[in-house]
Amino acid sequence: MAFKKLALTLATLCSFTALSAQSISRWHIGPEAGLTVARTYSGDTMPAAYSSRNKTGAYFQLNTQYNLSPGASLQLGIGLVNKGYKINNDTLGLNTGSLSHNSGSLNIPIGLSLRQSLSGSSFLTEKFGVSGSWLFNTETQTFLNDPRDTVFRVVQTTPSKFVPAFYLGFAMGGTGENGNRYEFGLLYQQSLRQESELRVESGEFWSRSFPLQYRGGFVQFRFTYLFDLENFKKSDEYFY
């Protein structure tokens, strides 16, 4: 008797899973774009005349989601990220006292997205996973605060072309009648090792210097639009 109850329960669960699989679209794909904010490592100590500021950039990414259930999806992306840092010498003017640099990388995140329904077609989603960044330029570079009136410079050394990372984020969005999704969200990506070593130099013959760390992590303010691939199948069927 107990075996029959167990078999009936398993059969009911299998039927429910099959129905759930049939009721959702498996694939969504679409673009994502937004703003990045990054800076040097916040734990670095700097001389009194210097300060580290946020540096903004832009990014574009193509996302693919495989829907495991109505509330969970595996996600994979590939995109171009522009991020950087800004260092100020606060004793100088606004034009000459700021040195900023942006660097580009190819970013490939993979992770999980969880969704909870809010009301109607709107939802809240959490995202987490791992990511890999491939840097476009790993040569040692030197940047000047002002080529015409140079007071300090930054020597940047990048030890590796590949930087692993993890990310966490959340977003609010909605699902249209056609099954397409849109999201407005915030995401933080933290590098698992230092991306670049910086040395800030000043004085006669660059005799004074201090080190900084740039891990390459950033915050994203992003907008995502995902197309339901079932709609493309319906369009194909229309022509038969």
Side-chain angles (χ1 to χ4, degrees):
M1 189 69 178
F3 176 78
K4 289 183 178 181
K5 288 183 178 180
L6 178 61
L8 181 60
T9 302
L10 291 174
T12 302
L13 289 174
C14 290
S15 299
F16 177 77
T17 303
L19 289 173
S20 298
Q22 294 173 1
S23 63
I24 63 171
S25 174
R26 282 301 183 189
W27 293 96
H28 280 75
I29 186 170
E32 178 177 300
L35 182 73
T36 64
V37 180
R39 63 184 300 160
T40 59
Y41 177 54
S42 59
D44 283 328
T45 57
M46 306 178 75
Y50 291 88
S51 61
S52 181
R53 308 291 178 89
N54 291 330
K55 183 73 176 72
T56 58
Y59 84 100
F60 178 82
Q61 185 167 289
L62 182 65
N63 284 334
T64 300
Q65 285 190 354
Y66 178 76
N67 301 303
L68 301 171
S69 71
S73 302
L74 290 175
Q75 57 181 16
L76 173 67
I78 181 168
L80 300 175
V81 176
N82 187 261
K83 58 185 186 293
Y85 54 83
K86 180 185 289 187
I87 299 168
N88 276 23
N89 184 318
D90 300 325
T91 64
L92 303 176
L94 294 176
N95 294 329
T96 61
S98 181
L99 185 155
S100 61
H101 172 66
N102 277 58
S103 59
S105 64
L106 179 69
N107 197 53
I108 300 181
I110 181 170
L112 189 65
S113 175
L114 303 177
R115 291 180 301 278
Q116 298 84 44
S117 178
L118 295 177
S119 61
S121 61
S122 62
F123 58 82
L124 177 68
T125 179
E126 301 85 33
K127 300 176 183 293
F128 54 92
V130 296
S131 179
S133 293
W134 282 264
L135 308 177
F136 293 145
N137 193 341
T138 56
E139 296 179 356
T140 298
Q141 302 175 80
T142 300
F143 309 107
L144 308 177
N145 69 297
D146 188 337
R148 297 166 299 178
D149 185 17
T150 303
V151 176
F152 69 99
R153 69 181 186 179
V154 171
V155 179
Q156 174 180 299
T157 304
T158 304
S160 176
K161 198 173 185 67
F162 173 73
V163 179
F166 70 89
Y167 67 88
L168 299 167
F170 69 92
M172 295 186 66
T175 304
E177 293 182 359
N178 57 1
N180 295 346
R181 296 179 188 146
Y182 62 90
E183 299 175 2
F184 295 91
L186 181 70
L187 184 142
Y188 173 67
Q189 179 165 305
Q190 174 61 59
S191 301
L192 296 177
R193 66 181 178 211
Q194 187 170 318
E195 181 174 308
S196 297
E197 298 174 356
L198 311 178
R199 188 171 70 254
V200 182
E201 299 178 338
S202 62
E204 187 176 10
F205 304 114
W206 310 113
S207 57
R208 295 193 299 270
S209 67
F210 63 91
L212 289 176
Q213 300 179 61
Y214 179 61
R215 296 189 65 85
F218 54 86
V219 175
Q220 288 180 341
F221 298 90
R222 58 191 188 82
F223 172 73
T224 311
Y225 194 88
L226 296 168
F227 295 94
D228 185 350
L229 291 191
E230 289 294 327
N231 293 328
F232 294 94
K233 292 181 181 180
K234 293 174 184 176
S235 299
D236 293 339
E237 293 171 357
Y238 177 80
F239 293 99
Y240 288 94

